[in-house]
Structures are given as structure tokens and as C-alpha cells.
Amino acid sequence: MRIFLAPFAALAFLCSFAIPHSKRVSTPSVDDSTILNYSLTLEYLQRAFYREGFSSFTHQDFVRLGFEDPFYSNLQHIYQDDQDHITFLAQALQAASIPQTQELNYTFPYSDIESWVALAGVLESISASAYLGAAPSLIDKDYLTASNSILSTKARHASYLRAALSESPFPNAFETPLPFVSTYSFRKVREGRSSITFSNAFQTATNLGINETAPVFAVFLSGLMMIPVQARLTANGRDYKIDTIPDGVLGQSYVLLSSNEDGRDEDVVAGPAVLEVSNAVCKSLVGGVRADDDDDDGVGLS
């Protein structure tokens, strides 16, 4: 059964997995002001997401669907945490005389409470990964301490929501650091049997100067591991594919298509995308990814 997944347009501020890279890009120089504003953008997005959810669904709506008390009040607590993070980051930027990024308009892809809660879990996990990925670039130790404090709170939010979704609250011994690029979607496949297809990626690769004989890799980021798997060009001459998700990919993880095993920003053809993997099931949270439960099909990125 082949599924095509739509990108999470709400995360368009982070680079795009669904939108292919049309030219080589250099890793941008990053300083504390960039990271503080990056963090503020994450918080703006999450605050807008919860605010919209609370305006769309009532306490009783959640209870009727089995999300019993104190789930709704805990969601409100998460929302307040995000507001507190915004206040803190805005004050830090103001104190340092750093111009603040402005809040954007967001479109969130959910249709009901279940999909809204699922997206909440994705956003919290992505946020934790984003804070972790940004931490090594912080120079000011006070900023680093504050960022790690927010990261810890994000991880608790993510664990709480994962448990509410009947997912393991702590699937991996290590959180996965996420670079400054990302977008996402959602699908179940079987770990160890699921292929991944990067749909129409060869055209993108040729735009980047990659020919049909050059090696291209699906690079998985899971916990502190980076696992490259060489992809093959499919018979249709348009897609790249790997046949199985490698061992060691657990929890909310990421995959990108790259011309280099290290998955450097300047070598990325498409990605990253998000995979939710347990020992039994993988949900692909990937922008433009195709996923399958059958033995002969798999997850695809389009």
C-alpha cells in the first residue's frame, strides 16, 4: 500500500524537506543572536499551535475522545511554558540590543483532535531536537544554560505527549540533535522491512551537479548516531531508494538524502524528514514521504 505524505507547512521556517534543494547552499554562520531568534521562532510557532487548538477544541471535546483529566489542563500548562519561553527569550534579546524576529502566520495540518495531539507530539520532539542541535554553537554560557533548561522542559513535554499517544515516552537513550534544517509528516511502516523512496529526487540531484553514477546516501540521525545508507537510482530514473530502515534508528529520528555520508548542509539533496521508530512500528513524520506496510513497498520522499 503506497502512501504519499504532505509536508508540514507549519514548519516552513526551518528549511524544507518537501521542497527540494535547487542549488548548493553553504552552512550559514551562526552566532548567539541567530540562535536566540531561532529559538524564539520555535516558541512563536508552538504558542500559535496551542492557541489555535484551544480555540478549535474544548475541554469536553478532549474528554469525549478519551483524553481524560488532567490532560487538557496539562496542555494548557505546556502552552504557558511556551509563553514563558517567549517572554524570557524576548527579554534576553532586548537586554543584548539584538533585533527580535517577528512572529509569522502559520498553517497547521490537522483535521481533528487526534491529529492535533499527534502533531503536538511531533512539534515538541522536533523542538527538543532543535534546541539540542543549536546548543554547541552558543558562545555565551548563560545562554547555553538557559537553552539547556528550555530543552529539558521540551523533552518532558514530548515524553508526556508520546505517552498520551501510546508511544514510548523514552524510546532512545539519547535525544537526537537536529541541524538548522527540517520539515515533517506522518505514516506507519514496519521497522526493518520498510523501504524509503525519495521521489523525483534525481532531477534535484542533477540540478546540484550530481550524475547518475555518483553515490548518494540516505543519512539517518537517531540519538547521537549518524547512519548513512547508500541509495540506488530506481528503474524509472527519477527516484532514489533504500530497501530497509537500518538497525539502531529508534524514537523520533531524521533522514535526509545527501551526496555525502556526513550529511553536510551543502550536500543535502532533500531533507531532513522525521521518522518515529519503535521496535515494532515506524511512523514516518516526513515532508513529502511515501510509506508502505507491505514487504515490497516502503516510505517515499516526494
Side-chain angles (χ1 to χ4, degrees):
M1 179 175 60
R2 180 153 285 178
I3 309 289
F4 289 85
L5 301 171
F8 281 179
L11 303 175
F13 74 93
L14 288 171
C15 202
S16 175
F17 183 69
I19 301 174
H21 298 253
S22 59
K23 61 181 179 178
R24 296 274 184 198
V25 294
S26 299
T27 303
S29 59
V30 175
D31 56 19
D32 286 0
S33 64
T34 302
I35 295 173
L36 289 176
N37 272 308
Y38 174 72
S39 302
L40 184 59
T41 302
L42 284 168
E43 300 297 340
Y44 279 152
L45 183 146
Q46 290 181 286
R47 180 179 67 176
F49 172 75
Y50 286 107
R51 185 168 55 206
E52 182 176 302
F54 293 140
S55 68
S56 301
F57 310 117
T58 67
H59 175 204
Q60 287 305 313
D61 290 335
F62 281 89
V63 172
R64 276 195 297 270
L65 284 173
F67 293 102
E68 299 179 355
D69 292 337
F71 184 75
Y72 185 81
S73 62
N74 284 338
L75 289 176
Q76 292 179 313
H77 194 145
I78 293 173
Y79 170 72
Q80 184 57 53
D81 285 347
D82 290 337
Q83 179 57 60
D84 292 345
H85 296 159
I86 288 171
T87 300
F88 174 84
L89 291 165
Q91 290 175 346
L93 287 162
Q94 184 177 19
S97 299
I98 299 171
Q100 295 176 29
T101 188
Q102 299 300 305
E103 187 168 5
L104 304 175
N105 294 318
Y106 306 102
T107 301
F108 298 104
Y110 62 87
S111 56
D112 51 29
I113 287 178
E114 291 93 335
S115 58
W116 185 88
V117 174
L119 183 54
V122 173
L123 291 176
E124 292 295 339
S125 293
I126 288 171
S127 184
S129 290
Y131 271 95
L132 182 60
S137 298
L138 283 167
I139 298 171
D140 188 293
K141 300 307 179 187
D142 289 335
Y143 291 158
L144 178 59
T145 298
S147 179
N148 286 340
S149 179
I150 295 174
L151 162 62
S152 297
T153 300
K154 296 295 183 186
R156 284 193 286 273
H157 293 169
S159 292
Y160 178 75
L161 289 165
R162 290 177 63 87
L165 294 165
S166 299
E167 296 172 355
S168 170
F170 31 77
N172 197 314
F174 299 95
E175 188 64 67
T176 303
L178 181 66
F180 289 110
V181 282
S182 307
T183 306
Y184 319 94
S185 334
F186 197 15
R187 169 66 185 143
K188 293 182 180 178
V189 295
R190 298 181 189 278
E191 183 189 18
R193 299 169 62 191
S194 302
S195 63
I196 293 184
T197 301
F198 296 79
S199 299
N200 299 314
F202 181 65
Q203 181 59 58
T204 305
T206 58
N207 292 341
L208 298 175
I210 300 169
N211 63 38
E212 64 272 14
T213 62
V216 175
F217 301 88
V219 181
F220 292 83
L221 308 175
S222 185
L224 299 180
M225 295 191 302
M226 177 180 290
I227 307 173
V229 178
Q230 187 162 349
R232 57 183 170 82
L233 191 62
T234 60
N236 65 18
R238 297 190 302 269
D239 307 337
Y240 284 101
K241 183 174 183 176
I242 67 166
D243 294 320
T244 59
I245 296 171
D247 292 339
V249 179
L250 286 173
Q252 185 157 311
S253 304
Y254 305 87
V255 60
L256 53 87
L257 188 68
S258 173
S259 61
N260 186 286
E261 291 179 276
D262 295 334
R264 296 174 302 202
D265 287 351
E266 59 267 28
D267 296 324
V268 172
V269 177
V274 187
L275 301 174
E276 175 58 46
V277 185
S278 70
N279 288 329
V281 172
C282 165
K283 298 176 194 171
S284 167
L285 317 166
V286 219
V289 170
R290 232 177 28 232
D292 299 87
D293 291 332
D294 302 326
D295 293 351
D296 57 348
D297 288 315
V299 184
L301 311 178
S302 61

